[in-house]
Amino acid sequence: MNQFRKTAIAVGVSQVVLLASGMAYAQTTPATDSGTTSVIVVGQRASLENAQKIKQNADEVVDSIVADDIGKLPDRSVTEVLQRVVGVTIDRTMAKGDPEHYSVEGSGVMVRGLSYVRSELNGRDSFSANGGRSLNFEDVPPELMAGIDVYKNPSAEQIEGGISGLINLRTAMPFDFKGRKLSVSAQDTYSTLKKGKPQPSYSMMFSDRWKTRFGEFGALFDLATSQSGTRTDAFQVSPYYPRTDVVPGQTVWVPNAASFRSLEFDRKRDGAYAAFQWKPNSNVQSSLTYFKSRYKMKWDEQAIFGQSSPYNLQVANGKFDPKGAMISGVLTDPTDGGVNFNDDTRTSTRKSATTDISWNLRWRLNSQWTVTTDLQKVRATTGSFDSTVATGLQIPQMGMDMSTTPARLTFDDATKAYMANPNNYYWGFTMEHQDASVANEKAWKTDVKYEFDNPVLRDLRVGVRLTDRDATTINSVPGYNWAAITQPWQVGPVGSWQPLTHLAYLGDPRFSAGTHLNTFPNFFNGKASVPAVVFPNTSLADGYPGTYSQLHQYYNVLCAERSGGTLDSCGAWKPATFGTDPSGTNDQKERSKALYTQLRFGFDDLKYPIDGNIGVRYVKTNMVAHGYTVFSFTAPNIPAGATVTGVPIPNIPNFQQKEDFDNSYSNVLPTLNLRMKASDKLQFRFAYGKAMSRPDFSQLQAYTNLSEATTTSTNTATNVVNVSNVSLTGTGSGNPMLRPTMAKQADITAEWYFAPTGSFTAALFHKKLSDVIINQSYNFSLPDVNGTMHDFVTTGPVNGANGTAKGIELAYQQYFDMLPGWLAGFGVQANYTYVKSSQDLYHPVYQAYCSGGSGADNLNLNLNGCDVDGKTFGNLPLNGLSKNSYNLALLFDRGPISARVAYSWRSKSLQAINANGTNGGDGTDTNPDSPTFGQHNVQYALPTWSDAYGQVDASIFYKITENLSFGLEAQNLNNAMYKQLMQQGVGFKVRGAYVTGPRYTAQMRYSF
């Protein structure tokens, strides 16, 4: 089916191109009433024409999007704009490693299937304080942007760091306009699912320029603020477990219950930009810019999810597919007193800001020499707080039907009444997380250009760039501090090990406050029905730490009852530490020095003229990571006078040592870009280069925890202690000695520009990666008291794999000017990308059966994935890679009307392995050689996938006057459902289904 879809798209694009070839030659420039042949192109058509000129005339392979008007990009966020570019896809989840939460505006950006993306603002480095090296593009106000350029291959003069691509965000400058310019806009958005209060957005830009006796001056001011409120409803199905006791003589797979949730999301995005330009004469020009973006979001979620013992569930009226996977049935759990659920109220907040101040001077010394110098300072901050408070209950039964998407959950009337009664709920758990990051960079660069008076040589460019950068991230320890209030496994009869005789039920007046009944109104836009559920109030999640301390006292009260009133023996709740534990702090400093030289040339006298550039960039990077190395060892109990035999035990004293790790490396990056013009309209490109991508700061954390463990046996008769094994292991939160990932990459393109807004382009690309960073094992050496070195097998990030990414891009656009009358206003855009990737580990870790724990040292689990029946998956693609993606847009631009209907689609892609909700430690051991064969003790981790997704967006603008326009925009017109899949031996199963509903925006713009 996927191959058919890919072939059909390619054939369809080819047919359109063949049609366009005839239309292109038939086009004529429409004449005006005065008989001239000039036309003024504005609006949507003008932006496409400008973007096409950028691509056609660039020295490198680049795709651009240009704003229709001042601050008017064609989508509601930068991420949504980028997904329209051929070869670019966006992630639809809120955060890396959290596939359970959908992002309406998208999050991470990938170019040609890879995430090694570097971001710039006006050709200068730009980033967010998230432990990575690029911007969170969803944080940037699109209203401040004049255009976006996506460079697919490097040149020597470009700043290093982006293997997959470079995304440059461009803002306007005062000298871009002939004189005074003012533009204001106001918008309001309505969400069909969330409804509620208005979500206004405003922007204002003013620019002017003046001629004085000191030269020409220009000033531009741009402000933007926008609010967005959305809601996401979701159903989720838990992993399927193999069961031999449900259908006699048959192994069937039964899901461990299901869940449903609703999330309310609110964000505010503010931006301020100012630019000043000065041109004292024709040879000197200087500019100063200030850019600040601020992002603030908060979401509140209420979710009920199953937490039953999967092997105690019973299935009535079960139906199963040919592979044994349950299609429908009614679940009960009489062994545990009902099907156990937790009911979460969760709140999450994040505030981010990026400030960029830059100064530029360009001085043309004479007709041949030009010097440009640039100073920049960037500061980025972010901080978040995540808090969950949960109740729990055990319901009598639940019906599940997975034959539809989303899954349909059914409850009989008695169960619905049971779930609506607060007395049946108990206080379950709390969980908190905090983080804060700050990153700074100072950069200086100077470029010198010498222009030749030569028929072949164009110019020689030489430059230097120096940077000083630091990044500090603090996370709470533990990262997510889950703590039970009361749980069923804590309850047992007097004399057992359990500390409680009953749970903290809401029916007990001592524990009854702080909850409410949620009826889930308008769930799935009224297309699904779920029962009312009792949840903790959001104020309890927001009130950390005071409300947490109060809730955990409930456990102490019940524990004291059990222990006869000795409250102190029950233990106290401990909040996660923040900023005091060195394992939660990542402190990095980085300096770089770059030198480049680049020669531009052109052979214009050839039958098919060739031009291009060749260059080399040298980069020296010096990293310093401030961190700790911790060693802990609990010596075995050896009786007095005993003789110790067997493996020697290294004598290494316990310690916690602050250390600084220095890591320096140099890279030489040659590049070549060639263009051959077969005609004024047809050209071909070839590009080859070497590129690098430094490790993220989150991967460089210098905290390593080392431990020593022994296995001993004692012969009491002989008083001999035999040491049979000494294990020296460690876990690295990061690896400060990582090297950059490198790539050798080649591009071949064909570009046919048959009209001002008509083109067909095709590109073949191949990237060969080395030193890809993965989590694997390496040796960390420590000396004992005698100076003898001992190797600890440590798990953490290493440069441990090679990789390839190759594929094809096709893009086509045209307005059909040859059609009669108003039909001449129609146009079309279409692009298609195919990417294939592979990854080869330097040291493969594949094992047919799963074993080991849940930690980072279980490499087979974390790299290959493990099923619930204990079998390994393996042969998984790179994360985030969709093999196929395409965009289709129908355009209309004529007279006062400008409109667009756009559809963006991407095929399924691997999200994560070992993500929350699709892992556990109760998988079945099916290894025939294992001593625990048949037991439920295997750690499993399912690969989760983002299913194929396509969304329709549309807009229409009407120019009321030359200066005033009104517009309507719509997002997700097709009410697309985002689906998450989990991979199991019985096939790909729908893990989650998410809907957000269509959203509509009304806009007024005034510009003169």
Side-chain angles (χ1 to χ4, degrees), residues 941-994:
L942 305 181
T944 56
W945 296 69
S946 172
D947 199 7
Y949 181 83
Q951 181 172 305
V952 176
D953 303 317
S955 64
I956 181 169
F957 287 87
Y958 183 81
K959 221 168 194 183
I960 301 172
T961 69
E962 193 63 30
N963 304 114
L964 181 65
S965 64
F966 172 77
L968 293 174
E969 297 175 285
Q971 297 86 43
N972 193 22
L973 266 178
N974 57 330
N975 194 22
M977 180 185 299
Y978 175 81
K979 291 180 289 186
Q980 180 196 71
L981 309 176
M982 53 186 173
Q983 185 176 352
Q984 298 204 247
V986 289
F988 285 89
K989 298 300 178 183
V990 176
R991 154 71 173 157
Y994 305 81

Short mmCIF file of all heavy atoms in Angstrom, two decimals, residues 941-994:
data_model
loop_
_atom_site.label_atom_id
_atom_site.label_comp_id
_atom_site.label_asym_id
_atom_site.label_seq_id
_atom_site.Cartn_x
_atom_site.Cartn_y
_atom_site.Cartn_z
N ALA A 941 9.91 -3.33 26.42
CA ALA A 941 9.85 -1.94 25.97
C ALA A 941 9.43 -1.95 24.51
O ALA A 941 10.19 -2.38 23.64
CB ALA A 941 11.21 -1.25 26.13
N LEU A 942 8.22 -1.50 24.24
CA LEU A 942 7.68 -1.55 22.89
C LEU A 942 8.11 -0.32 22.08
O LEU A 942 8.15 0.79 22.61
CB LEU A 942 6.15 -1.59 22.93
CG LEU A 942 5.51 -2.70 23.76
CD1 LEU A 942 3.99 -2.61 23.65
CD2 LEU A 942 5.99 -4.07 23.32
N PRO A 943 8.43 -0.49 20.81
CA PRO A 943 8.60 0.67 19.94
C PRO A 943 7.25 1.34 19.72
O PRO A 943 6.26 0.68 19.42
CB PRO A 943 9.15 0.06 18.64
CG PRO A 943 9.64 -1.31 19.02
CD PRO A 943 8.76 -1.76 20.14
N THR A 944 7.22 2.65 19.89
CA THR A 944 6.00 3.41 19.60
C THR A 944 6.23 4.22 18.32
O THR A 944 7.31 4.75 18.07
CB THR A 944 5.63 4.36 20.75
OG1 THR A 944 6.73 5.23 21.04
CG2 THR A 944 5.28 3.57 21.99
N TRP A 945 5.19 4.29 17.51
CA TRP A 945 5.26 4.92 16.20
C TRP A 945 4.19 5.99 16.08
O TRP A 945 3.08 5.85 16.62
CB TRP A 945 5.03 3.88 15.10
CG TRP A 945 6.06 2.80 15.01
CD1 TRP A 945 6.27 1.79 15.91
CD2 TRP A 945 7.01 2.60 13.96
NE1 TRP A 945 7.28 0.98 15.48
CE2 TRP A 945 7.76 1.46 14.28
CE3 TRP A 945 7.28 3.28 12.78
CZ2 TRP A 945 8.77 0.97 13.46
CZ3 TRP A 945 8.28 2.80 11.96
CH2 TRP A 945 9.02 1.67 12.30
N SER A 946 4.52 7.04 15.37
CA SER A 946 3.52 8.00 14.93
C SER A 946 2.94 7.50 13.62
O SER A 946 3.67 7.28 12.66
CB SER A 946 4.17 9.38 14.74
OG SER A 946 3.27 10.28 14.15
N ASP A 947 1.63 7.28 13.59
CA ASP A 947 1.01 6.76 12.38
C ASP A 947 0.96 7.85 11.31
O ASP A 947 1.17 9.03 11.58
CB ASP A 947 -0.41 6.26 12.70
CG ASP A 947 -0.93 5.31 11.64
OD1 ASP A 947 -0.17 4.92 10.75
OD2 ASP A 947 -2.13 4.94 11.71
N ALA A 948 0.69 7.42 10.08
CA ALA A 948 0.56 8.38 8.98
C ALA A 948 -0.47 9.44 9.35
O ALA A 948 -1.51 9.15 9.95
CB ALA A 948 0.14 7.65 7.71
N TYR A 949 -0.16 10.70 9.00
CA TYR A 949 -1.02 11.81 9.41
C TYR A 949 -1.09 12.84 8.30
O TYR A 949 -0.08 13.20 7.69
CB TYR A 949 -0.46 12.47 10.67
CG TYR A 949 -1.30 13.62 11.19
CD1 TYR A 949 -2.41 13.38 11.98
CD2 TYR A 949 -0.98 14.93 10.87
CE1 TYR A 949 -3.18 14.43 12.46
CE2 TYR A 949 -1.74 15.99 11.33
CZ TYR A 949 -2.85 15.73 12.13
OH TYR A 949 -3.62 16.76 12.60
N GLY A 950 -2.30 13.31 8.02
CA GLY A 950 -2.50 14.36 7.04
C GLY A 950 -3.49 15.38 7.54
O GLY A 950 -4.51 15.03 8.14
N GLN A 951 -3.21 16.65 7.29
CA GLN A 951 -4.06 17.73 7.81
C GLN A 951 -4.33 18.75 6.72
O GLN A 951 -3.45 19.11 5.94
CB GLN A 951 -3.36 18.40 9.00
CG GLN A 951 -4.16 19.53 9.64
CD GLN A 951 -3.52 20.03 10.91
OE1 GLN A 951 -3.28 19.26 11.84
NE2 GLN A 951 -3.24 21.33 10.99
N VAL A 952 -5.58 19.25 6.67
CA VAL A 952 -6.00 20.26 5.71
C VAL A 952 -6.10 21.62 6.41
O VAL A 952 -6.77 21.74 7.44
CB VAL A 952 -7.35 19.90 5.07
CG1 VAL A 952 -7.81 21.02 4.13
CG2 VAL A 952 -7.26 18.59 4.32
N ASP A 953 -5.42 22.61 5.85
CA ASP A 953 -5.52 23.98 6.33
C ASP A 953 -5.95 24.86 5.15
O ASP A 953 -5.69 24.53 3.99
CB ASP A 953 -4.18 24.46 6.88
CG ASP A 953 -3.65 23.58 8.00
OD1 ASP A 953 -4.45 23.19 8.86
OD2 ASP A 953 -2.45 23.26 7.99
N ALA A 954 -6.56 25.98 5.46
CA ALA A 954 -7.04 26.85 4.39
C ALA A 954 -7.04 28.29 4.86
O ALA A 954 -7.04 28.58 6.06
CB ALA A 954 -8.45 26.44 3.96
N SER A 955 -7.03 29.20 3.88
CA SER A 955 -7.12 30.62 4.19
C SER A 955 -7.70 31.36 3.00
O SER A 955 -7.56 30.93 1.85
CB SER A 955 -5.74 31.20 4.53
OG SER A 955 -4.87 31.14 3.42
N ILE A 956 -8.36 32.47 3.28
CA ILE A 956 -8.86 33.36 2.23
C ILE A 956 -8.77 34.79 2.74
O ILE A 956 -9.15 35.07 3.89
CB ILE A 956 -10.31 33.01 1.81
CG1 ILE A 956 -10.76 33.95 0.69
CG2 ILE A 956 -11.26 33.04 3.00
CD1 ILE A 956 -12.06 33.51 0.03
N PHE A 957 -8.21 35.67 1.92
CA PHE A 957 -8.07 37.08 2.28
C PHE A 957 -8.71 37.94 1.20
O PHE A 957 -8.57 37.65 0.00
CB PHE A 957 -6.58 37.44 2.44
CG PHE A 957 -5.97 36.88 3.69
CD1 PHE A 957 -5.43 35.60 3.71
CD2 PHE A 957 -5.94 37.62 4.86
CE1 PHE A 957 -4.88 35.07 4.86
CE2 PHE A 957 -5.39 37.09 6.02
CZ PHE A 957 -4.86 35.82 6.02
N TYR A 958 -9.36 38.98 1.64
CA TYR A 958 -10.04 39.90 0.73
C TYR A 958 -9.53 41.31 0.99
O TYR A 958 -9.55 41.80 2.14
CB TYR A 958 -11.55 39.84 0.92
CG TYR A 958 -12.31 40.73 -0.04
CD1 TYR A 958 -12.56 40.31 -1.34
CD2 TYR A 958 -12.75 41.99 0.36
CE1 TYR A 958 -13.24 41.14 -2.23
CE2 TYR A 958 -13.44 42.81 -0.52
CZ TYR A 958 -13.67 42.38 -1.82
OH TYR A 958 -14.33 43.19 -2.70
N LYS A 959 -9.06 41.94 -0.07
CA LYS A 959 -8.56 43.30 0.03
C LYS A 959 -9.71 44.27 -0.11
O LYS A 959 -10.24 44.48 -1.21
CB LYS A 959 -7.51 43.54 -1.05
CG LYS A 959 -6.31 44.32 -0.58
CD LYS A 959 -5.18 44.28 -1.58
CE LYS A 959 -3.91 44.77 -0.91
NZ LYS A 959 -2.78 44.83 -1.85
N ILE A 960 -10.13 44.83 1.01
CA ILE A 960 -11.26 45.77 1.00
C ILE A 960 -10.86 47.06 0.29
O ILE A 960 -11.60 47.60 -0.53
CB ILE A 960 -11.72 46.04 2.44
CG1 ILE A 960 -12.12 44.72 3.11
CG2 ILE A 960 -12.86 47.05 2.47
CD1 ILE A 960 -12.40 44.84 4.59
N THR A 961 -9.69 47.57 0.63
CA THR A 961 -9.08 48.70 -0.07
C THR A 961 -7.63 48.34 -0.33
O THR A 961 -7.17 47.24 0.00
CB THR A 961 -9.15 49.99 0.77
OG1 THR A 961 -8.27 49.87 1.90
CG2 THR A 961 -10.57 50.26 1.25
N GLU A 962 -6.90 49.28 -0.91
CA GLU A 962 -5.48 49.02 -1.18
C GLU A 962 -4.70 48.78 0.10
O GLU A 962 -3.68 48.10 0.09
CB GLU A 962 -4.89 50.21 -1.95
CG GLU A 962 -3.52 49.93 -2.54
CD GLU A 962 -3.57 48.82 -3.58
OE1 GLU A 962 -4.62 48.66 -4.25
OE2 GLU A 962 -2.56 48.10 -3.71
N ASN A 963 -5.20 49.31 1.22
CA ASN A 963 -4.46 49.22 2.49
C ASN A 963 -5.12 48.29 3.51
O ASN A 963 -4.46 47.86 4.44
CB ASN A 963 -4.31 50.61 3.12
CG ASN A 963 -3.66 51.61 2.19
OD1 ASN A 963 -4.28 52.56 1.77
ND2 ASN A 963 -2.40 51.37 1.85
N LEU A 964 -6.40 48.01 3.34
CA LEU A 964 -7.14 47.26 4.36
C LEU A 964 -7.59 45.92 3.80
O LEU A 964 -8.14 45.84 2.71
CB LEU A 964 -8.36 48.07 4.81
CG LEU A 964 -9.24 47.43 5.89
CD1 LEU A 964 -8.47 47.31 7.21
CD2 LEU A 964 -10.51 48.27 6.09
N SER A 965 -7.33 44.84 4.57
CA SER A 965 -7.74 43.51 4.14
C SER A 965 -8.34 42.75 5.31
O SER A 965 -8.03 43.01 6.48
CB SER A 965 -6.56 42.73 3.55
OG SER A 965 -5.58 42.50 4.52
N PHE A 966 -9.19 41.81 4.96
CA PHE A 966 -9.83 40.93 5.94
C PHE A 966 -9.58 39.49 5.52
O PHE A 966 -9.61 39.16 4.33
CB PHE A 966 -11.34 41.21 6.01
CG PHE A 966 -12.09 40.23 6.87
CD1 PHE A 966 -12.04 40.32 8.25
CD2 PHE A 966 -12.82 39.20 6.30
CE1 PHE A 966 -12.71 39.41 9.05
CE2 PHE A 966 -13.51 38.29 7.09
CZ PHE A 966 -13.46 38.40 8.48
N GLY A 967 -9.32 38.64 6.50
CA GLY A 967 -9.03 37.25 6.16
C GLY A 967 -9.59 36.26 7.14
O GLY A 967 -9.86 36.57 8.31
N LEU A 968 -9.81 35.06 6.66
CA LEU A 968 -10.22 33.92 7.47
C LEU A 968 -9.23 32.78 7.25
O LEU A 968 -8.86 32.49 6.10
CB LEU A 968 -11.63 33.46 7.10
CG LEU A 968 -12.78 34.42 7.42
CD1 LEU A 968 -14.09 33.86 6.84
CD2 LEU A 968 -12.92 34.62 8.93
N GLU A 969 -8.80 32.17 8.33
CA GLU A 969 -7.89 31.03 8.26
C GLU A 969 -8.50 29.86 9.01
O GLU A 969 -9.22 30.06 10.00
CB GLU A 969 -6.53 31.37 8.85
CG GLU A 969 -5.80 32.49 8.12
CD GLU A 969 -4.51 32.87 8.82
OE1 GLU A 969 -4.60 33.55 9.86
OE2 GLU A 969 -3.43 32.49 8.34
N ALA A 970 -8.23 28.67 8.53
CA ALA A 970 -8.75 27.47 9.19
C ALA A 970 -7.62 26.44 9.28
O ALA A 970 -6.89 26.23 8.32
CB ALA A 970 -9.92 26.89 8.41
N GLN A 971 -7.50 25.84 10.44
CA GLN A 971 -6.52 24.77 10.64
C GLN A 971 -7.26 23.47 10.95
O GLN A 971 -8.27 23.47 11.64
CB GLN A 971 -5.57 25.10 11.79
CG GLN A 971 -4.69 26.33 11.58
CD GLN A 971 -5.38 27.61 12.00
OE1 GLN A 971 -6.03 27.69 13.03
NE2 GLN A 971 -5.26 28.64 11.17
N ASN A 972 -6.73 22.40 10.40
CA ASN A 972 -7.29 21.07 10.63
C ASN A 972 -8.76 20.99 10.20
O ASN A 972 -9.63 20.51 10.93
CB ASN A 972 -7.14 20.68 12.11
CG ASN A 972 -7.40 19.21 12.37
OD1 ASN A 972 -7.29 18.38 11.46
ND2 ASN A 972 -7.74 18.88 13.59
N LEU A 973 -9.01 21.45 8.98
CA LEU A 973 -10.38 21.44 8.47
C LEU A 973 -10.95 20.03 8.36
O LEU A 973 -12.16 19.83 8.45
CB LEU A 973 -10.42 22.10 7.09
CG LEU A 973 -10.76 23.59 7.04
CD1 LEU A 973 -10.70 24.08 5.61
CD2 LEU A 973 -12.14 23.84 7.64
N ASN A 974 -10.09 19.06 8.13
CA ASN A 974 -10.55 17.68 7.99
C ASN A 974 -10.70 16.97 9.33
O ASN A 974 -10.94 15.76 9.38
CB ASN A 974 -9.61 16.88 7.09
CG ASN A 974 -8.17 16.88 7.59
OD1 ASN A 974 -7.73 17.83 8.22
ND2 ASN A 974 -7.42 15.83 7.29
N ASN A 975 -10.56 17.73 10.45
CA ASN A 975 -10.70 17.16 11.78
C ASN A 975 -9.87 15.88 11.91
O ASN A 975 -10.35 14.83 12.34
CB ASN A 975 -12.18 16.86 12.09
CG ASN A 975 -12.42 16.59 13.57
OD1 ASN A 975 -11.63 17.00 14.42
ND2 ASN A 975 -13.50 15.89 13.86
N ALA A 976 -8.60 15.97 11.53
CA ALA A 976 -7.73 14.80 11.47
C ALA A 976 -7.52 14.21 12.86
O ALA A 976 -7.42 14.93 13.86
CB ALA A 976 -6.38 15.17 10.87
N MET A 977 -7.44 12.91 12.90
CA MET A 977 -7.16 12.19 14.13
C MET A 977 -5.70 11.72 14.09
O MET A 977 -5.28 11.04 13.16
CB MET A 977 -8.09 10.98 14.28
CG MET A 977 -7.86 10.17 15.56
SD MET A 977 -8.89 8.67 15.60
CE MET A 977 -10.52 9.38 15.54
N TYR A 978 -4.96 12.12 15.08
CA TYR A 978 -3.56 11.70 15.18
C TYR A 978 -3.51 10.38 15.94
O TYR A 978 -4.10 10.24 17.02
CB TYR A 978 -2.75 12.76 15.92
CG TYR A 978 -1.31 12.39 16.19
CD1 TYR A 978 -0.34 12.53 15.21
CD2 TYR A 978 -0.93 11.91 17.43
CE1 TYR A 978 0.97 12.21 15.47
CE2 TYR A 978 0.38 11.58 17.70
CZ TYR A 978 1.33 11.73 16.71
OH TYR A 978 2.64 11.41 16.97
N LYS A 979 -2.82 9.40 15.37
CA LYS A 979 -2.78 8.07 15.98
C LYS A 979 -1.35 7.67 16.31
O LYS A 979 -0.42 7.92 15.54
CB LYS A 979 -3.39 7.03 15.04
CG LYS A 979 -4.90 7.18 14.87
CD LYS A 979 -5.47 6.13 13.94
CE LYS A 979 -5.07 6.38 12.50
NZ LYS A 979 -5.74 5.44 11.56
N GLN A 980 -1.21 7.07 17.46
CA GLN A 980 0.06 6.50 17.88
C GLN A 980 -0.07 4.99 17.89
O GLN A 980 -1.08 4.45 18.37
CB GLN A 980 0.43 7.00 19.28
CG GLN A 980 1.75 6.45 19.80
CD GLN A 980 1.89 6.63 21.29
OE1 GLN A 980 1.22 5.98 22.07
NE2 GLN A 980 2.75 7.55 21.70
N LEU A 981 0.94 4.33 17.34
CA LEU A 981 0.94 2.88 17.25
C LEU A 981 1.97 2.29 18.21
O LEU A 981 2.97 2.92 18.52
CB LEU A 981 1.26 2.43 15.82
CG LEU A 981 0.45 3.04 14.69
CD1 LEU A 981 0.97 2.54 13.35
CD2 LEU A 981 -1.03 2.74 14.85
N MET A 982 1.70 1.08 18.67
CA MET A 982 2.72 0.33 19.41
C MET A 982 2.98 -0.97 18.66
O MET A 982 2.05 -1.63 18.19
CB MET A 982 2.28 0.07 20.85
CG MET A 982 0.93 -0.58 21.04
SD MET A 982 0.48 -0.66 22.80
CE MET A 982 -1.21 -1.26 22.68
N GLN A 983 4.24 -1.29 18.51
CA GLN A 983 4.64 -2.46 17.74
C GLN A 983 4.72 -3.67 18.66
O GLN A 983 5.39 -3.64 19.68
CB GLN A 983 5.99 -2.20 17.08
CG GLN A 983 6.46 -3.33 16.16
CD GLN A 983 7.76 -2.97 15.46
OE1 GLN A 983 8.24 -1.84 15.55
NE2 GLN A 983 8.35 -3.93 14.77
N GLN A 984 4.01 -4.73 18.28
CA GLN A 984 4.06 -5.98 19.03
C GLN A 984 4.13 -7.15 18.04
O GLN A 984 3.95 -6.96 16.82
CB GLN A 984 2.86 -6.12 19.96
CG GLN A 984 2.80 -5.04 21.02
CD GLN A 984 2.01 -5.47 22.26
OE1 GLN A 984 0.96 -4.94 22.53
NE2 GLN A 984 2.53 -6.43 23.00
N GLY A 985 4.39 -8.33 18.56
CA GLY A 985 4.49 -9.49 17.69
C GLY A 985 3.21 -9.82 16.96
O GLY A 985 3.23 -10.47 15.91
N VAL A 986 2.07 -9.33 17.49
CA VAL A 986 0.79 -9.56 16.83
C VAL A 986 0.42 -8.43 15.89
O VAL A 986 -0.71 -8.33 15.42
CB VAL A 986 -0.33 -9.77 17.88
CG1 VAL A 986 -0.16 -11.12 18.58
CG2 VAL A 986 -0.34 -8.63 18.89
N GLY A 987 1.40 -7.55 15.59
CA GLY A 987 1.18 -6.47 14.64
C GLY A 987 1.23 -5.10 15.28
O GLY A 987 1.48 -4.95 16.49
N PHE A 988 1.04 -4.08 14.46
CA PHE A 988 0.98 -2.71 14.95
C PHE A 988 -0.42 -2.46 15.50
O PHE A 988 -1.42 -2.58 14.79
CB PHE A 988 1.27 -1.72 13.83
CG PHE A 988 2.73 -1.65 13.46
CD1 PHE A 988 3.24 -2.49 12.48
CD2 PHE A 988 3.58 -0.76 14.08
CE1 PHE A 988 4.58 -2.43 12.13
CE2 PHE A 988 4.92 -0.70 13.75
CZ PHE A 988 5.43 -1.53 12.77
N LYS A 989 -0.50 -2.10 16.77
CA LYS A 989 -1.77 -1.84 17.43
C LYS A 989 -1.89 -0.36 17.75
O LYS A 989 -0.90 0.30 18.09
CB LYS A 989 -1.90 -2.66 18.71
CG LYS A 989 -1.86 -4.17 18.47
CD LYS A 989 -3.00 -4.61 17.57
CE LYS A 989 -2.98 -6.09 17.28
NZ LYS A 989 -4.05 -6.48 16.34
N VAL A 990 -3.11 0.18 17.64
CA VAL A 990 -3.33 1.59 17.95
C VAL A 990 -3.18 1.78 19.45
O VAL A 990 -3.96 1.26 20.25
CB VAL A 990 -4.72 2.06 17.48
CG1 VAL A 990 -4.94 3.51 17.91
CG2 VAL A 990 -4.85 1.93 15.97
N ARG A 991 -2.14 2.51 19.82
CA ARG A 991 -1.88 2.81 21.23
C ARG A 991 -2.73 4.01 21.68
O ARG A 991 -3.31 4.00 22.76
CB ARG A 991 -0.39 3.10 21.40
CG ARG A 991 0.02 3.98 22.55
CD ARG A 991 -0.13 3.31 23.88
NE ARG A 991 0.42 4.14 24.94
CZ ARG A 991 0.06 4.06 26.21
NH1 ARG A 991 -0.84 3.19 26.59
NH2 ARG A 991 0.60 4.84 27.12
N GLY A 992 -2.77 5.06 20.85
CA GLY A 992 -3.51 6.25 21.22
C GLY A 992 -4.16 6.91 20.02
O GLY A 992 -3.67 6.80 18.90
N ALA A 993 -5.26 7.58 20.26
CA ALA A 993 -5.96 8.35 19.22
C ALA A 993 -6.29 9.71 19.82
O ALA A 993 -6.87 9.79 20.91
CB ALA A 993 -7.23 7.64 18.78
N TYR A 994 -5.90 10.79 19.11
CA TYR A 994 -6.00 12.14 19.63
C TYR A 994 -6.75 13.03 18.64
O TYR A 994 -6.49 12.99 17.44
CB TYR A 994 -4.60 12.74 19.86
CG TYR A 994 -3.70 11.90 20.73
CD1 TYR A 994 -3.02 10.81 20.21
CD2 TYR A 994 -3.54 12.19 22.09
CE1 TYR A 994 -2.19 10.04 21.01
CE2 TYR A 994 -2.72 11.43 22.89
CZ TYR A 994 -2.05 10.34 22.35
OH TYR A 994 -1.24 9.57 23.14
#
